[in-house]
Amino acid sequence: EKKKDHRLMLHYKDGKVVLPPGVTSLVNSNHEKEEQKNEEDEEEEEEENDEEEEEEENEEEENEEEEEEENEEEEENDDEKEKEENDDEEEEVEAAQEEEETDDKEDGEKKVCEGDEEEMESQDEVEIMKNNVSQDEIPYIYEDVPSSIDQLVTLFKDRSAIQCGIIIDRIYSCHHPSLSNDNKIKIEMLFDVLINYCLKLSSSLTLETMNIIDKLS
């Protein structure tokens, strides 16, 4: 704002000071000047004070906003940390549950397998008792090695799973590779026939066929 110029234009005439129109005394003029100057100083001071107060208020508002933002960030970080901890706890609980379920499943499968084995063994005992066939009634010497599934089926006819296993053991003993060089080829042929026979049985699995495969393996 442009300050008003309160200076007076004086001049002399006939040895006397001639005042400007409207000015009656230099003393009053000076006094008015001082008052006006004081008023201007006060106004300037008030303006400066107002500006300082406004700056302080603005600074306080900025500080408050910064504090609010910091508090919000801290709350968000706390929420994220708490969420991560909850997620970790949930993952641990789920992992523990999965491990427990896996253990229970393995225990169940183990019990089932043990039960199947016991059932197969019981069935073998029942078959032996039922047929009343002893191992001595199975030939000890087999001159030929079955070269096809049909020949093997003929040997196994009316035989239990245990007896089928005994027959294969005795055929192997009669044609052991250490007894003759030709026996190696015969035993390889026997193994091929047994594998094909087991594959054929596996196409229609029953407790009886599983028992036979178990004794031949």
Side-chain angles (χ1 to χ4, degrees):
E1 184 180 356
K2 188 176 181 181
K3 294 183 180 180
K4 188 176 180 181
D5 191 1
H6 296 287
R7 291 178 297 177
L8 299 176
M9 181 67 71
L10 302 178
H11 62 279
Y12 292 90
K13 186 178 181 181
D14 298 331
K16 296 181 180 180
V17 177
V18 178
L19 299 175
V23 177
T24 58
S25 174
L26 289 176
V27 177
N28 292 337
S29 178
N30 291 332
H31 182 68
E32 290 175 358
K33 289 180 182 179
E34 290 179 359
E35 288 181 352
Q36 289 177 353
K37 185 178 180 182
N38 291 333
E39 289 177 358
E40 291 176 355
D41 292 339
E42 289 176 358
E43 290 177 357
E44 290 179 357
E45 187 175 354
E46 288 179 359
E47 289 178 357
E48 291 177 356
N49 292 334
D50 292 338
E51 290 177 356
E52 290 179 357
E53 290 178 357
E54 187 176 356
E55 289 178 357
E56 290 177 355
E57 290 176 357
N58 293 332
E59 187 175 354
E60 290 178 357
E61 290 178 355
E62 290 177 356
N63 293 333
E64 290 177 357
E65 290 177 356
E66 289 178 357
E67 289 179 358
E68 289 178 357
E69 290 178 355
E70 290 177 356
N71 292 332
E72 289 177 356
E73 289 179 357
E74 289 179 357
E75 290 178 357
E76 290 178 357
N77 293 332
D78 292 338
D79 293 339
E80 290 179 356
K81 186 177 181 181
E82 185 177 357
K83 185 178 179 181
E84 289 177 356
E85 291 176 354
N86 293 333
D87 291 341
D88 292 339
E89 291 178 358
E90 290 179 358
E91 289 178 357
E92 291 177 358
V93 172
E94 289 178 357
Q97 290 177 349
E98 290 178 358
E99 185 176 356
E100 185 176 354
E101 290 175 357
T102 302
D103 293 340
D104 293 340
K105 185 177 180 181
E106 290 177 354
D107 292 339
E109 291 176 352
K110 185 177 181 181
K111 290 180 180 178
V112 170
C113 292
E114 290 176 353
D116 291 341
E117 290 177 358
E118 291 176 358
E119 187 176 353
M120 291 170 69
E121 290 176 358
S122 300
Q123 187 175 2
D124 291 341
E125 294 175 358
V126 170
E127 285 181 358
I128 292 175
M129 294 176 63
K130 182 178 178 181
N131 296 327
N132 195 21
V133 177
S134 66
Q135 297 181 8
D136 294 336
E137 295 180 4
I138 301 174
Y140 282 93
I141 298 175
Y142 288 87
E143 295 181 358
D144 297 324
V145 175
S147 59
S148 66
I149 294 178
D150 292 336
Q151 293 179 3
L152 191 65
V153 171
T154 302
L155 289 176
F156 289 167
K157 185 177 180 181
D158 298 329
R159 299 291 187 178
S160 66
I162 294 177
Q163 292 170 344
C164 291
I166 294 171
I167 290 172
I168 296 301
D169 287 340
R170 291 184 178 177
I171 292 174
Y172 182 78
S173 298
C174 291
H175 300 277
H176 196 276
S178 62
L179 300 176
S180 173
N181 293 330
D182 295 336
N183 288 343
K184 182 178 180 181
I185 298 175
K186 293 180 181 180
I187 295 303
E188 289 178 355
M189 180 177 61
L190 175 63
F191 285 160
D192 289 338
V193 173
L194 287 173
I195 290 172
N196 292 326
Y197 179 69
C198 291
L199 290 174
K200 182 178 179 181
L201 292 179
S202 63
S203 61
S204 57
L205 283 178
T206 62
L207 188 58
E208 181 180 359
T209 56
M210 288 175 62
N211 212 349
I212 294 174
I213 294 172
D214 179 63
K215 298 303 178 185
L216 294 180
S217 59

